[in-house]
C-alpha cells in the first residue's frame, strides 16, 4: 500500500454554506473536486494524523464512492481511526452522537440534506467538530481559505473496503471500525424518553405514520417505532433508503410530503404523523386534521419538555434562529428562562448548548433538537412529541389549541422563490438594504413599518460576530417580514420570505395562516417590488 501525493489546482467556489458544501452531484464527481475539498478540511484543522473521525452519509447517489475516497485520504493523512456507518450510512444526528460518545476529533457527513439526490441532483459534505456539531464559522472560513491555496492531496493506492458488514479492519495504519449506525442512537433515545409510556400509548390503539421519504431514517424509525415500541408493521412508510430517494424530494414539508399530509387530513387518517428529511435531522409533525408549523412545534416542545424523563427538571433556555417565529419566546418568558435569537443554521447553537445556556433549539425549517447531540434531530422531535402525547392523552390538535389559548398564536409562513437569476435576487436584497433606513413610518396597504434592519449576531459565549444574516421589517402590532437568500440551494438563488403575525390568547386563533398573513405578504411584495423584479407572482413553495 503506497501513499500517493497528487498535484491539484484549487477549485473556485468551495465555500461552505449554511450547512457544508453543497453542489450538483456532477460537480462533486469532477476529478479532484472532492479530494481538494477533503484535503482542505484536513489542512484547515491542522491535519488528521493520530485523530479519530466519524464518517457516514445519507446514502444518496455518490455516497458510496465518496466514502471510499475519504477513507483512503484519511489513511494517507495518518488518521488513527475512522468510524464508519455500515454501508456508509449514518443519519446526521446519529453521527453527532457517535462523535460525542466515542470522543472523536470530528466527523464528515455526506449529505445534501433535503435536496434531491441523483447524478443530476445534489451532493454535499459537511465537517463537524469534536463537540459533534457543525463546524463554526471560524472553522468553515479556515476551510474555505485552505481550498483557495491547495496544490496537492494525499491518498492511498488501495482497493475499496467492504462496508457491508459490522467489522473492524484496517487501511494502511488506520483502523477502520464499521458500526451499525442505528444501535447507539436507539440506546440514546431510550435513555431520554419513557419507552414504557410510549409502548402503552401504542397498545391503547394510538395510530401513527412516519414517512422516511426513502431516506436515511427508515432503518432507525423501524427499529424505534415498530421493533422497540410495538407500533404495527407499516407504521413506517418509504422505509428503505434509496440513492435517489425514490425520485422524490426528501424535504418533510406539506409540499414534498403531500401523500402523508393527505393521509392525516382524511377522516380515517392516523392520530399522529411525521416525516424526516434526507439525512434525518429535520422533522414535520402532524396530528389528525392538523399541520404543526415547526415554530409552533418548538414552542410546544419547550412548554411540555418536562413531561419527558430527560427534561423533567426543566430546560435551561431556548434558542431559535432569527427567522423562526417568536412563539417559543413567550414560553421562555413564562418559564423565566433565557431565549436566544441566532442566525440561520445549526452551527450557531453549538456554543450555547456547550455552555449549558440552552437545552432546546429550533429553526422554522423543520429543525428541532436538544443538548443530547449537537445537530437537529428529526426522530428525537417525533419521540418527544409522542412522550408528551402519552402523558397528556390529548390529540395534537387539542395540545396546539391549548397552547395558543395560553400563549397566543404566532401565525407564520415561509414563501420560497426558487431558482431565481442570482443577479436579480442579489439586486433585490441590495436595493432593499439601501432603503431599509427610510422604511420606518411608511405605510404599505394596511401595514405600517416601525423598524427595519439587517440582523447581526454576537455570540454571547465566545463573542464571535456574524453580520448580514437577513433583512428584517417590523410592522405595527408586532408583525414581521424577514428576507434572506438561501445558503443551501444549487440552482441560481432561492429567496426566502418569512412572514409572521401575532394574535393574543383572546384573539382569533383559528384563521387560515395564508389569510391571516395576507396583508403582511402584500406589504412585503410592495416594499421589495418582488413581482416586477423576479417576474414571479407566487412562491414556488409555501410552508
Ligand atoms: C436551510 C434552512 C436552515 C437549515 C439549513 C440546513 O438553509 O433554512 O434553517 O439550517 O437549510 O438544513 P438555507 O440557507 O437554505 O435557508 V438541512 O436539514 O442541511 O440539514
Ligand atoms: Co437535513
Amino acid at each position: 500500500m503506497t501513499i500517493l501525493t497528487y498535484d491539484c489546482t484549487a477549485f473556485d467556489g468551495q465555500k461552505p454554506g449554511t450547512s457544508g458544501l453543497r453542489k450538483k452531484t456532477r460537480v462533486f464527481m469532477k476529478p479532484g473536486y472532492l479530494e481538494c475539498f477533503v484535503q482542505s478540511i484536513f489542512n484547515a484543522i491542522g491535519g488528521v494524523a493520530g485523530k479519530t473521525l466519524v464518517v457516514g452519509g445519507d446514502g444518496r447517489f455518490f455516497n458510496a464512492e465518496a466514502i471510499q475516497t475519504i477513507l483512503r485520504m484519511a489513511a494517507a493523512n495518518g488518521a488513527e481511526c475512522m468510524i464508519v456507518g455500515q454501508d456508509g450510512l449514518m443519519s446526521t444526528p446519529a453521527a453527532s452522537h457517535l462523535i460525542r460518545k466515542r470522543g472523536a476529533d470530528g466527523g464528515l457527513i455526506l449529505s445534501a440534506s433535503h435536496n434531491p439526490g441523483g447524478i443530476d441532483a445534489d451532493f454535499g459534505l459537511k465537517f463537524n467538530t469534536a463537540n459533534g456539531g457543525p463546524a463554526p464559522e471560524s472553522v468553515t472560513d479556515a476551510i474555505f481559505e485552505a481550498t483557495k491555496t491547495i496544490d496537492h492531496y494525499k491518498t492511498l493506492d488501495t482497493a475499496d473496503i467492504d462496508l457491508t458488514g459490522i467489522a473492524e479492519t484496517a487501511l494502511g495504519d488506520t483502523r477502520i471500525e464499521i458500526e451499525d449506525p442505528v444501535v447507539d442512537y436507539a440506546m440514546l433515545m431510550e435513555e431520554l424518553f419513557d419507552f414504557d409510556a410510549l409502548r402503552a400509548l401504542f397498545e391503547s390503539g394510538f395510530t401513527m405514520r412516519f414517512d422516511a421519504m426513502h431516506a436515511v431514517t427508515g432503518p432507525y424509525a423501524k427499529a424505534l417505532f415498530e421493533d422497540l415500541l410495538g407500533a404495527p408493521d407499516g407504521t413506517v412508510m418509504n422505509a428503505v433508503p434509496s440513492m435517489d430517494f425514490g425520485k422524490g424530494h426528501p424535504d418533510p414539508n406539506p409540499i414534498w410530503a403531500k401523500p402523508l399530509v393527505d393521509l392525516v387530513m382524511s377522516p380515517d387518517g392516523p392520530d399522529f404523523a411525521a416525516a424526516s428529511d434526507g439525512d434525518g435531522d429535520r422533522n414535520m409533525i402532524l396530528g389528525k386534521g392538523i399541520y404543526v408549523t415547526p415554530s409552533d412545534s418548538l414552542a410546544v416542545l419547550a412548554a411540555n419538555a418536562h413531561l419527558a424523563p430527560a427534561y423533567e427538571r426543566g430546560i435551561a433556555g431556548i434558542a431559535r434562529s432569527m427567522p423562526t417565529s417568536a412563539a417559543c419566546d413567550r414560553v421562555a418568558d413564562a418559564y423565566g428562562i433565557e431565549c436566544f435569537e441566532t442566525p440561520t443554521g445549526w452551527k450557531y447553537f453549538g456554543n450555547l448548548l456547550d455552555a449549558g445556556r440552552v437545552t432546546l433549539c429550533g429553526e422554522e425549517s423543520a429543525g428541532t433538537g436538544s443538548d443530547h447531540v449537537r445537530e437537529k434531530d428529526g426522530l428525537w422531535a417525533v419521540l418527544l412529541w409522542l412522550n408528551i402525547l402519552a402523558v397528556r392523552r390529548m390529540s395534537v390538535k387539542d395540545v396546539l389549541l391549548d397552547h395558543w389559548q395560553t400563549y397566543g398564536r404566532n401565525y407564520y409562513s415561509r414563501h420560497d422563490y426558487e431558482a431565481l437569476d442570482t443577479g436579480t435576487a442579489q439586486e433585490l436584497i441590495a436595493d432593499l438594504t439601501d432603503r431599509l433606513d427610510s422604511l420606518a413610518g411608511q405605510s404599505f396597504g394596511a401595514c405600517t413599518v416601525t423598524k427595519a434592519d439587517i440582523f447581526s449576531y454576537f455570540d454571547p459565549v465566545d463573542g464571535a460576530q456574524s453580520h448580514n444574516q437577513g433583512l428584517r421589517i417590523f410592522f405595527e402590532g408586532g408583525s414581521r417580514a424577514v428576507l434572506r437568500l438561501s445558503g443551501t440551494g444549487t440552482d441560481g438563488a432561492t429567496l426566502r420570505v418569512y412572514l409572521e403575525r401575532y394574535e393574543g390568547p383572546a384573539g382569533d386563533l383559528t384563521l387560515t395562516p395564508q389569510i391571516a398573513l395576507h396583508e403582511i405578504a402584500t406589504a412585503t411584495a410592495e416594499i421589495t417590488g418582488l413581482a416586477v423584479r423576479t417576474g414571479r407572482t407566487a412562491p414556488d413553495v409555501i410552508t
Side-chain angles (χ1 to χ4, degrees):
M1 223 168 292
T2 333
I3 294 180
L4 304 172
T5 303
Y6 286 108
D7 288 340
C8 59
T9 310
F11 287 88
D12 277 343
Q14 290 196 328
K15 185 173 168 52
T18 314
S19 180
L21 184 68
R22 251 173 236 189
K23 297 284 174 194
K24 289 286 168 208
T25 310
R26 286 187 195 273
V27 173
F28 260 103
M29 291 171 73
K30 282 186 197 166
Y33 190 92
L34 173 69
E35 287 85 346
C36 281
F37 189 61
V38 171
Q39 188 68 54
S40 299
I41 295 173
F42 293 169
N43 295 350
I45 60 170
V48 294
K51 291 185 179 172
T52 295
L53 297 175
V54 170
V55 56
D58 63 12
R60 68 182 59 226
F61 186 89
F62 195 50
N63 191 94
E65 295 83 350
I67 288 246
Q68 297 288 345
T69 301
I70 291 169
L71 291 176
R72 274 193 281 267
M73 289 185 64
N77 278 275
E80 181 181 316
C81 176
M82 297 296 286
I83 302 169
V84 197
Q86 188 181 9
D87 295 318
L89 295 180
M90 207 181 286
S91 79
T92 290
S96 181
H97 175 52
L98 210 53
I99 293 170
R100 297 165 65 75
K101 185 172 177 182
R102 297 291 307 272
D105 297 284
L108 293 151
I109 301 174
L110 294 80
S111 172
S113 190
H114 53 287
N115 298 21
I119 191 162
D120 289 313
D122 296 344
F123 192 78
L125 180 62
K126 187 168 74 148
F127 177 69
N128 282 30
T129 48
N131 73 346
E137 241 179 16
S138 54
V139 177
T140 55
D141 286 350
I143 294 172
F144 182 45
E145 286 311 308
T147 66
K148 294 179 189 166
T149 55
I150 184 159
D151 57 9
H152 68 274
Y153 67 85
K154 283 187 192 168
T155 187
L156 276 195
D157 175 22
T158 57
D160 286 356
I161 319 191
D162 178 8
L163 296 175
T164 56
I166 313 292
E168 193 177 311
T169 162
L171 198 56
D173 295 331
T174 303
R175 195 167 74 252
I176 309 284
E177 295 181 16
I178 306 164
E179 298 233 353
D180 181 327
V182 177
V183 173
D184 287 308
Y185 179 81
M187 272 164 58
L188 174 65
M189 293 302 118
E190 222 165 337
E191 280 165 27
L192 300 175
F193 301 112
D194 184 347
F195 271 35
D196 287 336
L198 295 187
R199 273 187 283 268
L201 181 69
F202 285 114
E203 265 163 31
S204 73
F206 177 88
T207 52
M208 159 179 174
R209 286 285 180 287
F210 178 84
D211 189 348
M213 303 190 83
H214 307 276
V216 78
T217 49
Y220 296 80
K222 278 197 100 62
L224 285 163
F225 302 127
E226 296 181 8
D227 301 345
L228 287 165
L229 296 174
D233 281 357
T235 296
V236 181
M237 303 157 51
N238 303 318
V240 180
S242 81
M243 286 201 297
D244 61 357
F245 308 115
K247 304 214 182 315
H249 203 127
D251 194 348
N253 65 35
I255 315 296
W256 298 112
K258 189 168 182 301
L260 184 74
V261 178
D262 289 347
L263 188 69
V264 83
M265 294 300 168
S266 69
D268 50 356
D271 298 314
F272 181 79
S276 191
D277 70 333
D279 61 330
D281 56 0
R282 295 187 177 200
N283 71 91
M284 174 173 68
I285 301 294
L286 301 145
K288 195 190 278 294
I290 196 155
Y291 163 69
V292 184
T293 67
S295 296
D296 276 345
S297 177
L298 173 64
V300 169
L301 294 182
N304 295 279
H306 60 276
L307 301 176
Y311 314 102
E312 65 189 4
R313 277 181 286 148
I315 55 175
I318 310 169
R320 64 166 170 88
S321 67
M322 180 274 283
T324 304
S325 95
C328 67
D329 303 30
R330 301 175 200 288
V331 176
D333 267 358
Y335 282 66
I337 54 176
E338 284 191 293
C339 186
F340 298 88
E341 191 176 31
T342 59
T344 297
W346 211 261
K347 56 177 172 268
Y348 297 101
F349 294 135
N351 278 345
L352 295 167
L353 290 163
D354 285 349
R357 301 276 293 265
V358 302
T359 309
L360 296 196
C361 303
E363 294 193 276
E364 53 65 41
S365 54
T368 345
S370 88
D371 57 1
H372 67 292
V373 288
R374 293 294 179 273
E375 285 278 6
K376 50 190 186 274
D377 189 344
L379 285 165
W380 167 89
V382 175
L383 287 165
L384 181 50
W385 261 98
L386 288 174
N387 203 145
I388 291 164
L389 296 175
V391 174
R392 294 190 65 178
R393 293 283 168 162
M394 286 161 77
S395 68
V396 174
K397 198 180 235 168
D398 287 343
V399 168
L400 210 55
L401 271 176
D402 176 59
H403 188 90
W404 294 334
Q405 282 158 3
T406 309
Y407 298 98
R409 178 172 180 184
N410 288 71
Y411 284 101
Y412 189 84
S413 182
R414 186 177 94 190
H415 293 186
D416 289 338
Y417 298 83
E418 295 182 337
L420 296 176
D421 172 70
T422 306
T424 305
Q426 282 169 349
E427 255 169 52
L428 185 152
I429 293 287
D431 182 49
L432 181 58
T433 303
D434 288 345
R435 289 183 294 124
L436 274 184
D437 288 343
S438 66
L439 290 179
Q442 289 193 51
S443 292
F444 301 87
C447 303
T448 303
V449 177
T450 54
K451 188 179 115 178
D453 66 7
I454 307 174
F455 180 62
S456 288
Y457 179 61
F458 302 93
D459 188 310
V461 179
D462 68 5
Q465 300 189 11
S466 307
H467 298 289
N468 262 321
Q469 296 294 337
L471 307 184
R472 308 190 288 189
I473 305 169
F474 299 91
F475 299 100
E476 260 172 19
S479 299
R480 180 182 83 150
V482 171
L483 289 98
R484 58 179 284 280
L485 296 179
S486 156
T488 59
T490 59
D491 282 315
T494 294
L495 174 69
R496 303 204 195 282
V497 181
Y498 310 80
L499 306 165
E500 179 176 0
R501 167 185 150 190
Y502 178 64
E503 193 73 34
D508 201 340
L509 299 173
T510 53
L511 297 171
T512 303
Q514 298 309 322
I515 293 175
L517 295 165
H518 182 70
E519 287 177 349
I520 303 156
T522 312
T524 308
E526 194 183 330
I527 293 169
T528 55
L530 208 147
V532 178
R533 283 171 181 276
T534 65
R536 305 283 178 88
T537 49
D540 298 284
V541 176
I542 295 179
T543 53

